Amino acid sequence: MKNIAVLINSLTIEYSLSVLKGISDFFKDKDVRLIIGQVKSPHCKDGMYEYQCWSGTSNLFSQQIDGVIVITGSFSSTMTKEELSTALRLFPKKPLVSVGIKLDIPGSVSTGIQCFAAYDSVVKHLKEVHGCRRFAYMSACRTQSEEAFERLEAFKAALKNNRLEFDENLLFDGFYTSSSAMEILSKAYPTKESVNFDVILTANDLMALGCQKVLQNLGLRIPFDVKVFGYDETSHAGMSTPKLSTIDQQIYEQGMLSAKLLLKKLDGRKVPAITQLRCAPVYRQSCGCIPLDNYFDVFKDESGVIHTSSEVMQKRWHTNDVYYSFLSEINDIYTLFDLTKSAATLRRLSYSMKYILPDAGISKIAVCLYDEPLVLNREDDFELPDRINLTMVVSTDDVQLFLDNKYPFNPREQIFPEALFDNESGSFILQPIFSGEKNYGYVFCELSHADYAIYSIFLKIIINSIAEAFEYTKSVSENKKLSEQNIQLLESNCDLSRRSMSDELTKILNRRGFKELGQNAINLAIEMNSGGLVFYADMDGLKQINDTYGHDFGDEAIKIMASVLTKALRANDVVARIGGDEFAVVAPGMNHEVLEKFKLKFEKYSKESCEQHKLPFVIEASFGAAEFNPNHTSLKELLTLADERLYVVKNQKHKSKN
């Protein structure tokens, strides 16, 4: 088992996430524990206290770590190569691969891209195919990013190779953001008539989209009056209007390559100091290669072959069911807030954590706390202590507490006691725990899925709850305001509250839980301008099962039906047993056509499950549905309507049998 650390500036930037997905895809079938740290940068000025994230870098260079990948390109807008190299040289020497830029660290290797040939191809294409002569360029050299300077030089070289003049007056300098590009271009060109170029190329897609918006606001038609060309091939390119022509810098492939190179280094094989991939032009609507009336996201490569972007992006991103995934995550955040707000002490929080983890997409979490929090100002350099206490280890099945009998260890030697995760491979996140200027320690989380961006929000909620619980527990201990019996009573109340919303037989929601969470799901869907269905699912023939095979078989049938319903539905659907053999569902975004497909899935899963459990019968069900929309949002009224329609369906089945 190898422990590989990944240092990333932010989990909310598409470039970083695409590189990270390439890394995780390479390692997913390897005997590797991938440990991700969103470390920001030293003395980071983003946010009030985000500089605290850099403390996690110390852990990711511990003796337990075998090798490190730094997504260097993610730091380029906040740190120069020299600054990042200097900061990382302070840590113990580890086999290190840099993604994007070669770092000045002895023994490190890097992946990168060669953009000169791609720029030459793009400029030649724009000149010969589209007749462009006056080329503008929006750089990002104000960030002092090495990549920005290289892209500008590649653009200049391409103009020279194609016998075109470089005009200093058509060079603009932004910050890799759409807002900076819009501000700069708006000042330079106040009117439509003042625009004096045929095409503008930019150092990334966000700036291209900013330029495109300014030109459209002036009344210029893209690509007829002026053309726009980006760089990166992010998801924004295929979603803009018109769809953006750009240069694909093989971001995902760089991630895959960096992981492959690090594994080679760890195996003792020779690796080149720099390994480069070649960029590829992507010609869409904003340069005129794809007609504007083509609503599909397609593009031409430099050979003129047409491709579907979704085929490429599917590899890099989980593009299916984006809306439903987002809706589910919003529901999860809602639940997290609800569960953490009442967790006053560390002991009680550990108990609530069992229910928090599934909603946060975390399989297991280890909470490690210092004896006393460290006070860090933005200007301070963090020094990792040589002692920290494992305070709790929580999974959905178990809670281990070390509040009274401390479990100290040295975080410089290991991030976590190895036995806790039983040699488990997969993806993990290390996140410092901080609130304001106080740094309390860190959490180490085993992840259930690879949707890394949402973990930024989930972990922020969790670490804030831990910090508050630490302070409250300390206050309680010092002032002796709560006895052990009172704490246990609070835990018992928390347990009773959760149980009161669950069905004892099937472990899904009961009627009370359905009324609360079902109405919340409807309200949330309406806020997001969506509708959906509320429907009943009533088992057919339960009485006959009980009479023929006994009530134990009847109970087993009810449990299997609950399991089959949950499996056939989506993660964001709310399903409950509301009595006997009667189940109810709130399904945001579902319509009657999708319901028919769901029924087929239900039948398939039911047959498979009954065969698996060796039941002498197959579970069948009847369904009655009512549609909710902005004019019909009352769960109570919708259930009444669904019940009426269920009665009609049951009556028709009864008549057909007779």
Side-chain angles (χ1 to χ4, degrees):
M1 170 72 69
K2 288 182 171 63
N3 291 315
I4 306 297
V6 178
L7 271 61
I8 185 171
N9 182 275
S10 174
L11 287 169
T12 59
I13 297 172
E14 184 175 336
Y15 163 82
S16 306
L17 290 170
S18 191
V19 175
L20 183 56
K21 187 169 190 298
I23 295 169
S24 63
D25 280 358
F26 179 83
F27 283 132
K28 67 184 177 182
D29 57 352
K30 311 288 190 302
D31 192 21
V32 165
R33 184 183 286 125
L34 189 66
I35 304 170
I36 302 156
Q38 179 182 238
V39 298
K40 302 295 183 179
S41 57
H43 320 299
C44 169
K45 294 182 180 178
D46 293 338
M48 289 288 288
Y49 302 103
E50 294 303 292
Y51 63 85
Q52 295 263 22
C53 291
W54 184 255
S55 65
T57 311
S58 302
N59 298 99
L60 295 174
F61 278 88
S62 79
Q63 294 177 27
Q64 199 173 24
I65 297 299
D66 298 297
V68 179
I69 298 174
V70 182
I71 304 181
T72 314
S74 70
F75 294 90
S76 60
S77 63
T78 58
M79 301 177 74
T80 64
K81 178 183 77 171
E82 291 74 20
E83 289 171 338
L84 183 57
S85 297
T86 300
L88 294 179
R89 278 198 297 267
L90 298 174
F91 299 104
K93 186 178 179 181
K94 297 281 182 183
L96 187 148
V97 176
S98 169
V99 183
I101 301 171
K102 174 67 176 145
L103 294 173
D104 296 328
I105 297 176
S108 68
V109 301
S110 68
T111 68
I113 47 90
Q114 206 288 83
C115 62
F116 280 78
Y119 266 110
D120 190 59
S121 180
V122 167
V123 169
K124 181 180 180 181
H125 172 87
L126 290 168
K127 176 187 175 183
E128 296 183 357
V129 176
H130 300 296
C132 298
R133 292 293 181 273
R134 292 186 58 76
F135 285 69
Y137 190 81
M138 178 72 71
S139 82
C141 295
R142 290 166 74 180
T143 65
Q144 297 300 301
S145 160
E146 187 172 302
E147 292 170 310
F149 287 113
E150 182 182 48
R151 291 169 196 177
L152 176 57
E153 290 308 310
F155 168 71
K156 289 180 179 179
L159 290 181
K160 185 176 180 180
N161 290 344
N162 287 279
R163 299 181 181 180
L164 292 165
E165 292 291 327
F166 171 68
D167 189 342
E168 287 280 358
N169 295 318
L170 295 180
L171 175 62
F172 309 98
D173 201 3
F175 283 104
Y176 279 132
T177 64
S178 59
S179 57
S180 67
M182 290 179 67
E183 181 181 358
I184 293 163
L185 208 64
S186 296
K187 288 181 180 178
Y189 297 102
T191 65
K192 174 181 177 180
E193 291 72 25
S194 62
V195 176
N196 58 347
F197 53 81
D198 302 324
V199 58
I200 183 166
L201 290 85
T202 64
N204 79 342
D205 288 345
L206 288 177
M207 289 197 292
L209 296 176
C211 292
Q212 186 164 280
K213 188 170 184 179
V214 169
L215 296 170
Q216 288 173 321
N217 289 342
L218 289 175
L220 291 164
R221 300 169 304 153
I222 297 172
F224 307 109
D225 300 325
V226 65
K227 305 180 192 311
V228 179
F229 219 98
Y231 189 103
D232 272 346
E233 177 61 339
T234 59
S235 61
H236 305 90
M239 294 189 292
S240 64
T241 305
K243 293 176 174 56
L244 185 66
S245 300
T246 184
I247 294 175
D248 183 357
Q249 65 161 321
Q250 309 292 313
I251 302 171
Y252 172 87
E253 289 75 10
Q254 284 189 65
M256 292 276 285
L257 178 60
S258 69
K260 183 178 180 180
L261 293 176
L262 182 57
L263 209 54
K264 282 185 176 182
K265 280 180 70 71
L266 294 175
D267 290 339
R269 289 181 281 174
K270 287 187 177 181
V271 176
I274 301 175
T275 305
Q276 290 187 318
L277 297 171
R278 186 180 181 277
C279 292
V282 176
Y283 300 115
R284 288 194 180 92
Q285 294 174 331
S286 68
C287 73
C289 281
I290 301 296
L292 295 182
D293 59 1
N294 188 331
Y295 299 106
F296 299 99
D297 184 13
V298 298
F299 66 87
K300 290 183 180 178
D301 62 20
E302 53 190 327
S303 302
V305 178
I306 294 180
H307 302 269
T308 302
S309 293
S310 59
E311 297 171 0
V312 179
M313 297 307 288
Q314 182 65 42
K315 175 178 65 175
R316 305 181 183 184
W317 300 96
H318 301 291
T319 54
N320 290 336
D321 300 323
V322 171
Y323 169 75
Y324 298 120
S325 174
F326 175 71
L327 184 60
S328 176
E329 288 161 357
I330 293 295
N331 270 319
D332 292 341
I333 294 169
Y334 179 92
T335 305
L336 279 181
F337 272 119
D338 193 44
L339 287 170
T340 56
K341 69 182 180 182
S342 59
T345 65
L346 284 170
R347 188 182 299 274
R348 187 175 177 191
L349 177 62
S350 69
Y351 188 80
S352 297
M353 198 81 78
K354 284 176 59 177
Y355 305 110
I356 292 171
L357 296 188
D359 294 321
I362 297 172
S363 304
K364 185 184 291 185
I365 184 169
V367 179
C368 306
L369 299 172
Y370 304 124
D371 289 322
E372 293 291 334
L374 308 175
V375 177
L376 292 177
N377 296 310
R378 192 186 303 275
E379 298 76 21
D380 295 337
D381 291 323
F382 178 78
E383 183 175 349
L384 184 65
D386 59 7
R387 173 189 162 111
I388 197 166
N389 301 303
L390 178 64
T391 304
M392 66 178 80
V393 180
V394 184
S395 67
T396 53
D397 301 320
D398 187 34
V399 176
Q400 299 178 61
L401 280 177
F402 307 96
L403 296 176
D404 301 321
N405 300 314
K406 290 188 176 181
Y407 192 139
F409 64 95
N410 188 342
R412 298 178 184 179
E413 297 176 355
Q414 54 184 355
I415 297 173
F416 57 91
E418 187 75 35
L420 291 176
F421 287 85
D422 193 28
N423 267 344
E424 297 165 12
S425 61
S427 293
F428 298 77
I429 280 185
L430 183 140
Q431 169 71 46
I433 302 167
F434 60 88
S435 179
E437 296 176 343
K438 290 185 177 181
N439 189 305
Y440 296 85
Y442 57 86
V443 293
F444 184 73
C445 309
E446 182 180 5
L447 309 182
S448 302
H449 57 70
D451 296 331
Y452 297 114
I454 197 65
Y455 286 116
S456 290
I457 302 173
F458 290 156
L459 287 173
K460 190 71 173 176
I461 297 170
I462 290 172
I463 67 168
N464 283 346
S465 299
I466 294 171
E468 290 176 9
F470 181 98
E471 293 291 349
Y472 188 71
T473 302
K474 183 180 177 183
S475 172
V476 166
S477 177
E478 289 173 351
N479 298 295
K480 300 186 183 301
K481 289 183 178 179
L482 285 178
S483 65
E484 185 68 20
Q485 291 81 4
N486 286 336
I487 294 174
Q488 291 173 356
L489 180 60
L490 287 172
E491 292 174 357
S492 177
N493 289 340
C494 181
D495 186 28
L496 288 172
S497 176
R498 187 76 182 190
R499 287 183 186 177
S500 69
M501 296 178 67
S502 300
D503 177 58
E504 186 175 353
L505 178 64
T506 63
K507 309 306 178 188
I508 64 175
L509 291 174
N510 60 16
R511 181 182 289 273
R512 177 188 171 190
F514 182 72
K515 284 183 178 179
E516 182 174 337
L517 298 184
Q519 188 64 62
N520 286 341
I522 292 173
N523 296 343
L524 182 60
I526 296 302
E527 286 178 17
M528 299 182 70
N529 297 317
S530 179
L533 293 181
V534 171
F535 64 87
Y536 274 114
D538 192 57
M539 188 189 301
D540 295 337
L542 178 62
K543 184 177 184 304
Q544 184 178 353
I545 292 172
N546 286 330
D547 292 345
T548 306
Y549 304 103
H551 286 274
D552 287 345
F553 272 91
D555 287 348
E556 186 68 15
I558 291 171
K559 288 193 288 185
I560 289 175
M561 180 159 173
S563 173
V564 170
L565 278 172
T566 304
K567 183 178 178 181
L569 291 164
R570 302 158 303 179
N572 61 303
D573 295 328
V574 180
V575 57
R577 179 189 178 210
I578 59 174
D581 58 351
E582 196 172 51
F583 296 80
V585 176
V586 173
M590 184 182 282
N591 55 34
H592 289 283
E593 182 179 347
V594 176
L595 178 62
E596 293 305 313
K597 294 178 181 178
F598 156 76
K599 290 178 184 178
L600 295 175
K601 287 171 65 178
F602 177 87
E603 290 177 8
K604 177 177 178 291
Y605 295 151
S606 178
K607 289 178 182 178
E608 291 174 354
S609 189
C610 289
E611 288 175 4
Q612 181 183 350
H613 288 80
K614 299 180 179 179
L615 296 183
F617 51 82
V618 174
I619 296 169
E620 297 179 347
S622 300
F623 301 89
E627 185 176 350
F628 66 83
N629 54 49
N631 297 320
H632 297 91
T633 60
S634 168
L635 180 60
K636 182 178 179 181
E637 294 176 2
L638 290 162
L639 284 172
T640 300
L641 183 56
D643 190 35
E644 292 173 358
R645 292 174 179 172
L646 175 66
Y647 176 79
V648 173
V649 172
K650 297 280 280 188
N651 201 31
Q652 289 173 344
K653 281 189 175 182
H654 181 71
K655 288 180 179 178
S656 65
K657 289 180 180 179
N658 296 330

XYZ file of all heavy atoms in Angstrom, residues 347 387 389-391 401-408:
116
model
N -18.797 14.715 22.382
C -19.411 13.405 22.547
C -20.706 13.307 21.745
O -20.958 12.334 21.043
C -19.674 13.137 24.030
C -20.148 11.712 24.335
C -20.429 11.547 25.811
N -19.243 11.766 26.619
C -18.343 10.825 26.890
N -18.498 9.605 26.418
N -17.300 11.098 27.649
N 2.782 16.370 18.674
C 1.767 15.575 19.371
C 0.381 16.073 18.979
O 0.114 17.273 18.906
C 1.940 15.682 20.883
C 0.795 15.017 21.676
C 0.890 15.329 23.154
N -0.379 15.087 23.835
C -0.601 14.116 24.711
N 0.365 13.273 25.016
N -1.785 13.976 25.285
N -3.948 14.403 19.337
C -4.762 13.346 19.940
C -5.839 12.868 18.966
O -6.613 13.682 18.451
C -5.447 13.851 21.212
C -4.457 14.337 22.243
O -3.574 13.601 22.667
N -4.584 15.600 22.632
N -5.834 11.581 18.707
C -6.971 10.999 17.994
C -8.170 11.072 18.933
O -8.150 10.486 20.015
C -6.677 9.550 17.615
C -7.804 8.811 16.902
C -8.103 9.445 15.557
C -7.445 7.339 16.732
N -9.190 11.823 18.530
C -10.320 12.099 19.419
C -11.525 11.225 19.124
O -12.217 10.778 20.029
C -10.716 13.584 19.310
O -9.567 14.379 19.602
C -11.827 13.933 20.282
N -14.600 6.569 20.573
C -14.305 7.833 21.252
C -13.058 7.690 22.110
O -12.861 6.669 22.773
C -15.480 8.251 22.141
C -16.665 8.922 21.460
C -17.747 9.206 22.476
C -16.240 10.202 20.778
N -12.225 8.740 22.087
C -11.016 8.767 22.909
C -10.965 10.088 23.673
O -9.959 10.790 23.682
C -9.775 8.605 22.021
C -9.820 7.401 21.125
C -10.257 7.503 19.811
C -9.459 6.160 21.612
C -10.301 6.393 18.988
C -9.508 5.036 20.792
C -9.933 5.149 19.479
N -12.105 10.443 24.286
C -12.199 11.711 25.013
C -11.554 11.601 26.390
O -10.818 12.504 26.810
C -13.668 12.133 25.139
C -14.395 12.437 23.829
C -15.859 12.750 24.104
C -13.753 13.613 23.107
N -11.842 10.531 27.093
C -11.325 10.369 28.451
C -9.943 9.710 28.442
O -9.029 10.151 29.134
C -12.306 9.537 29.278
C -13.683 10.183 29.342
O -13.727 11.424 29.462
O -14.683 9.461 29.243
N -9.789 8.660 27.630
C -8.497 7.996 27.492
C -7.867 8.441 26.175
O -8.200 7.931 25.106
C -8.672 6.469 27.513
C -9.305 5.995 28.802
O -8.896 6.420 29.881
N -10.298 5.129 28.692
N -6.984 9.419 26.261
C -6.443 10.029 25.051
C -5.591 9.036 24.253
O -4.967 8.143 24.801
C -5.624 11.268 25.410
C -6.472 12.432 25.923
C -5.651 13.694 26.080
C -6.539 14.869 26.501
N -5.773 16.117 26.649
N -5.598 9.242 22.919
C -4.839 8.406 21.993
C -3.873 9.335 21.255
O -4.121 9.748 20.130
C -5.804 7.728 21.019
C -5.223 6.624 20.177
C -5.949 5.460 19.944
C -3.971 6.726 19.580
C -5.446 4.439 19.149
C -3.462 5.729 18.791
C -4.200 4.587 18.584
O -3.692 3.591 17.797
N -2.735 9.694 21.905
C -1.807 10.634 21.271
C -0.913 9.943 20.238
O -0.615 8.752 20.356
C -0.978 11.140 22.451
C -0.986 10.015 23.416
C -2.306 9.313 23.253
